[in-house]
Amino acid sequence: MAKKQFKTESKRLLDLMINSIYTNREIFLRELISNASDALDKRHYMALTDAKYASSDPLKIDIAVDKKARTLTVADNGIGMDKEGLEKELGTIAHSGSADFKQAMDDKKSDVDIIGQFGVGFYSSFMVASKVVVESKTVDAPANRWTSEGEDGYAIEPCDKESVGTRITLYLRPDTADVKYDDYLESYKLQELIRKYSDYIRYPIQMMVEKSKPVEGEKDKDGSQKYETTEQLETLNSMVPLWRRSKKDIKDSEYDDFYKNKFSDWEAPAKVIHYSLEGSLSYKALLFIPAKVPFNYYAQEYEPGLQLYSKGVFIMDHAKDLLPDWARFVKGLVDTEDVSLNISREILQQDKQLQQLRESITKKIKGALVDMLTKQRDKYEDFFKNFGLGLKFSIYNSYGMNKDELQDLLLFYSSHDGKYVTLKEYTDRLKPEQKDIYYCTGKSIEQIKQLPQIDKMLAKGYEVLYLTDDVDEFALSIMHDYGSHEFKSIQNADVDLEDEAEKKAKEETAKANESLLAKMKEALAGKVKDVRISSRLTTHPVCLVADKGVSLEMQKVLNKTPEGKDVKAEKILEINPGHEVFGALQKAFASDPSSIGRYSDLLYQQAMLIEGFSIDDPVAYANEICDLMVAASGHGQGVDHGKDAPAAVEPEPAAPKAEKPEPAAEKKDNTGAADAK
């Protein structure tokens, strides 16, 4: 039997096809089954117009294993190939008979569905086989056998195959230290691969599978039930995918079970998005929004993306190019033939169709979320608690490019009725004279409610958004505004909603206490930019606000990172002139101006703690409080807790024991009262 060389006459090219184009050996079975499905499609289509192509047996794909011979066989009763077909389809690397057939049918305006790439896909067999034998017969020609051991070429000769169709036999390579080729002789492995890649091929994929069943009335020597092993023919694929069925025929429980099994979740999804689109871009999609955040969602190893199918054949997992980054929580799959793949069908090509598909899917996901927001508010709030952080981060991380797409999906806890609100709901309730959207930041809602800056804002009837996530203020800063309304922090110096009377009173108070404020500013040099009279405080004596630029919350967030550990907000200490502490400051300044430094630092440390900052020397602050308590009680002037003071005072040695008790009068003399005697 004379061998022929491949028409490419390139050993290097075949080696590239086998070892480089395909990165995953196990996909060889997917390719062979897809080719077999193509052959069955062709025969089915031809039989519609020509009876000679009709098959007396159901169209199917058979898988067989011979462990002794170390062979794996994939057979079909499809259209088959004659000698010329074997030469054309298998003698030329990268030739696609399926593509030719589809083109011919397209010319006749047929909707025939062909998924294989006979040629490139077929040669993936050599990743696992040292020798491949293809036996094929058509309805019009005798059978022929094509044999090849790879780069050395191929041979074609007549054979005795009687039935129409194609049988491909792979002679598996011997095991190596790195690869166990014997795995592809195990029925469990073949079943696993078929379920993974070819579960939705429309024709049955059958194989003889070993089964263990009890022998009635027989026991083993130990008295346990006796079992026997038999072989039975099983269909390994489900054939009809859930997403190709009509929505009206699918129960909610079927969606739930499919999601749990397919995506390894123990909870039913919060939302199912099942739809199909026909037109210039045609595809079917079955998407799920999880009810809970996946355990590794924020871990580096989490892989976002959708599963990609082409006409029911699994192509790739985690196709992240099909989803925008903000929707990385979505799980599901897309089945389409309109997206171009690379030659191995393992990598998406960056083309116009892919961009259109991504935009279409994104639009559908957003529509589903808007629908949930308007019709199932409680359910949407649960979703947002789980995944809202990602939406806000996406706005910030895209430098605001996603603002228009996502801003109406955002929720923030509001002082209005203590509920979560959208930005639209907030702006719909703006006071007539209000131009801005006000917010306040903190580590929790309860902590924000205690902040000094918020009391007067609420007393005047302004609604305030409470921001508790690190990314919140950064996202609003990037967004800048919603509609024509800017975002303004009530912890910044430029927000102080004073009327004319309040403004005038503040200016008069500041002028009257100019020297006191200057002394306090001097005492806090390097810590605050300024010390001012405040009109935003009601019950609290002082607060910190930030000047333009980095806010107080931004400083806290950035200081957590190595790059931002030295970032500082320009702080301003504001004093409440109506608080009794201010009166105490005035008195202290009038009697002893030098004491103002001590009190100023104490108030600054207090304001820092209220804002959630750590202070430089907590021990010194605690000692200062204790000293003031002692001084206020009239029991002394306090203790010197300077850094040079000893850590503890050594007790004086005990006096020698007196022979008799000291007279009471002499005791008094020790206290300074004896001089009056």
Side-chain angles (χ1 to χ4, degrees):
M1 182 172 59
K3 281 191 174 182
K4 299 182 180 181
Q5 291 299 312
F6 293 110
K7 291 183 181 179
T8 60
E9 297 179 351
S10 175
K11 176 180 177 180
R12 183 180 176 187
L13 177 58
L14 182 58
D15 182 69
L16 178 67
M17 299 287 292
I18 296 169
N19 299 308
S20 299
I21 292 179
Y22 291 95
T23 58
N24 186 5
R25 287 183 179 84
E26 67 184 24
I27 56 83
F28 81 91
L29 188 60
R30 177 194 73 184
E31 297 298 305
L32 295 183
I33 290 175
S34 295
N35 290 338
S37 176
D38 283 354
L40 296 170
D41 280 338
K42 293 174 185 178
R43 184 170 187 180
H44 171 74
Y45 177 80
M46 298 300 290
L48 296 177
T49 56
D50 192 339
K52 72 178 182 180
Y53 290 98
S55 174
S56 57
D57 295 326
L59 298 179
K60 65 184 188 305
I61 300 169
D62 289 308
I63 309 292
V65 169
D66 185 335
K67 290 187 177 181
K68 183 175 289 188
R70 301 190 80 258
T71 61
L72 171 64
T73 301
V74 179
D76 65 74
N77 55 348
I79 195 73
M81 291 176 282
D82 57 17
K83 183 177 181 180
E84 182 182 350
L86 289 170
E87 182 83 40
K88 181 180 179 183
E89 309 299 344
L90 306 185
T92 306
I93 296 177
H95 182 273
S96 174
S98 296
D100 288 349
F101 184 81
K102 183 69 164 64
Q103 181 61 50
M105 295 304 102
D106 285 345
D107 293 342
K108 298 179 182 180
K109 295 182 171 53
S110 168
D111 61 353
V112 66
D113 188 12
I114 298 296
I115 60 175
Q117 295 289 320
F118 219 120
V120 174
F122 167 76
Y123 283 93
S124 64
S125 304
F126 287 100
M127 291 192 296
V128 298
S130 57
K131 177 182 176 181
V132 179
V133 176
V134 181
E135 298 169 301
S136 193
K137 183 183 186 310
T138 67
V139 296
D140 296 321
N144 287 276
R145 180 185 296 116
W146 180 96
T147 305
S148 176
E149 294 182 3
E151 63 274 6
D152 291 338
Y154 63 94
I156 299 178
E157 61 180 344
C159 67
D160 297 331
K161 189 176 189 306
E162 296 181 358
S163 59
V164 174
T166 300
R167 179 169 58 240
I168 301 176
T169 303
L170 309 183
Y171 290 80
L172 298 186
R173 297 175 183 272
D175 284 354
T176 67
D178 299 323
V179 185
K180 287 194 65 178
Y181 294 99
D182 281 355
D183 284 349
Y184 302 117
L185 296 173
E186 300 294 339
S187 63
Y188 77 88
K189 182 65 174 180
L190 298 174
Q191 291 177 72
E192 174 190 312
L193 295 181
I194 289 169
R195 281 194 298 269
K196 179 178 180 180
Y197 293 106
S198 307
D199 197 33
Y200 306 115
I201 291 290
R202 71 189 70 186
Y203 303 101
I205 304 171
Q206 299 179 333
M207 184 172 71
M208 296 299 293
V209 177
E210 288 187 350
K211 293 288 183 181
S212 181
K213 67 177 184 178
V215 181
E216 291 188 17
E218 293 191 25
K219 303 286 185 181
D220 281 331
K221 292 180 181 180
D222 60 1
S224 61
Q225 175 65 55
K226 186 175 183 179
Y227 288 83
E228 64 177 355
T229 300
T230 62
E231 281 194 337
Q232 64 183 55
L233 189 66
E234 277 198 3
T235 297
L236 306 181
N237 59 322
S238 58
M239 292 182 281
V240 181
L242 185 70
W243 63 87
R244 286 180 175 260
R245 291 166 52 189
S246 173
K247 290 172 62 176
K248 62 182 177 60
D249 297 329
I250 303 175
K251 299 177 182 177
D252 290 344
S253 59
E254 291 182 273
Y255 282 126
D256 294 348
D257 291 341
F258 179 88
Y259 168 75
K260 291 176 183 178
N261 294 328
K262 192 77 169 175
F263 300 103
S264 303
D265 200 344
W266 60 87
E267 285 196 56
K271 183 80 173 177
V272 178
I273 309 170
H274 183 195
Y275 69 101
S276 61
L277 188 67
E278 304 291 338
S280 59
L281 181 68
S282 298
Y283 68 95
K284 300 180 187 298
L286 181 54
L287 313 176
F288 302 92
I289 297 176
K292 300 290 184 186
V293 177
F295 75 95
N296 63 339
Y297 186 65
Y298 295 107
Q300 189 173 1
E301 62 268 19
Y302 179 80
E303 294 186 86
L306 303 177
Q307 292 184 345
L308 178 65
Y309 286 77
S310 178
K311 307 176 194 79
V313 177
F314 178 74
I315 301 300
M316 65 184 298
D317 207 354
H318 306 299
K320 61 182 180 181
D321 293 329
L322 297 178
L323 283 177
D325 187 62
W326 65 262
R328 64 197 300 270
F329 54 84
V330 175
K331 295 178 180 292
L333 53 90
V334 174
D335 190 350
T336 181
E337 57 183 292
D338 289 339
V339 174
S340 300
L341 305 170
N342 73 345
I343 196 169
S344 70
R345 294 197 282 181
E346 294 180 280
I347 303 173
L348 288 171
Q349 302 283 25
Q350 296 296 326
D351 59 9
K352 184 178 179 181
Q353 285 76 23
L354 174 61
Q355 184 63 29
Q356 288 177 335
L357 183 58
R358 176 190 171 105
E359 290 174 358
S360 178
I361 293 171
T362 301
K363 184 177 180 181
K364 200 70 180 181
I365 294 171
K366 182 183 176 183
L369 293 176
V370 170
D371 186 69
M372 192 193 304
L373 174 61
T374 55
K375 298 178 182 178
Q376 298 173 292
R377 183 58 175 257
D378 290 344
K379 200 170 186 180
Y380 184 82
E381 289 187 10
D382 288 338
F383 154 78
F384 195 82
K385 289 172 185 176
N386 284 317
F387 301 107
L389 188 65
L391 301 185
K392 292 180 285 191
F393 181 77
S394 183
I395 292 176
Y396 169 71
N397 202 40
S398 67
Y399 299 97
M401 292 178 62
N402 293 333
K403 171 187 172 182
D404 292 340
E405 185 174 39
L406 300 179
Q407 61 185 358
D408 286 320
L409 295 177
L410 302 181
L411 293 181
F412 298 97
Y413 187 89
S414 169
S415 61
H416 181 81
D417 293 337
K419 296 180 179 179
Y420 285 91
V421 302
T422 65
L423 294 175
K424 184 177 186 308
E425 290 167 345
Y426 181 102
T427 54
D428 286 346
R429 291 193 292 264
L430 287 177
K431 295 169 71 69
E433 72 281 6
Q434 184 178 351
K435 295 180 180 180
D436 301 320
I437 299 172
Y438 299 117
Y439 67 86
C440 192
T441 60
K443 65 181 180 180
S444 69
I445 291 171
E446 288 306 314
Q447 190 242 359
I448 292 174
K449 289 179 178 179
Q450 303 300 320
L451 290 176
Q453 299 93 327
I454 203 166
D455 291 348
K456 198 163 188 178
M457 184 71 69
L458 298 183
K460 289 195 170 191
Y462 289 101
E463 184 176 355
V464 180
L465 301 178
Y466 296 180
L467 310 188
T468 57
D469 289 325
D470 285 352
V471 74
D472 285 346
E473 191 168 21
F474 292 90
L476 294 190
S477 177
I478 286 290
M479 290 173 66
H480 185 262
D481 56 39
Y482 177 78
S484 59
H485 307 288
E486 291 186 23
F487 297 106
K488 291 290 183 70
S489 170
I490 66 172
Q491 293 152 292
N492 284 358
D494 61 346
V495 175
D496 202 344
L497 302 176
E498 53 197 14
D499 55 33
E500 287 301 319
E502 290 171 329
K503 184 177 181 180
K504 184 177 181 181
K506 184 175 78 170
E507 291 173 351
E508 291 175 352
T509 304
K511 187 174 182 179
N513 294 275
E514 189 173 357
S515 299
L516 170 60
L517 297 175
K519 188 70 174 177
M520 294 182 71
K521 180 180 178 180
E522 178 186 344
L524 297 175
K527 296 179 179 179
V528 300
K529 180 181 180 181
D530 200 2
V531 179
R532 299 177 184 173
I533 296 297
S534 178
S535 62
R536 76 177 82 215
L537 298 173
T538 55
T539 60
H540 295 79
V542 292
C543 73
L544 283 177
V545 295
D547 205 6
K548 294 179 180 179
V550 178
S551 71
L552 300 176
E553 186 65 19
M554 287 179 177
Q555 177 183 325
K556 284 185 278 186
V557 174
L558 293 173
N559 285 174
K560 296 176 185 177
T561 66
E563 300 83 0
K565 62 181 180 180
D566 295 324
V567 173
K568 301 293 182 184
E570 289 193 321
K571 302 179 184 68
I572 296 172
L573 183 68
E574 292 196 353
I575 304 175
N576 181 0
H579 197 281
E580 57 187 7
V581 164
F582 186 65
L585 283 171
Q586 290 174 312
K587 291 179 182 178
F589 183 66
S591 62
D592 183 10
S594 64
S595 66
I596 292 301
R598 183 183 187 189
Y599 297 137
S600 297
D601 189 69
L602 193 64
L603 291 173
Y604 168 74
Q605 304 287 0
Q606 175 186 327
M608 286 283 284
L609 290 172
I610 291 173
E611 280 296 333
F613 287 101
S614 58
I615 55 179
D616 295 335
D617 193 343
V619 174
Y621 176 73
N623 289 337
E624 190 71 16
I625 296 293
C626 292
D627 287 352
L628 288 173
M629 291 176 65
V630 171
S633 69
H635 289 290
Q637 296 301 317
V639 180
D640 183 4
H641 296 287
K643 292 182 180 178
D644 296 329
V649 178
E650 293 290 338
E652 293 184 6
K657 188 173 181 182
E659 295 182 359
K660 59 181 179 179
E662 192 178 27
E666 292 181 7
K667 285 186 180 179
K668 285 186 179 181
D669 186 54
N670 289 338
T671 64
D675 293 336
K677 205 163 50 170

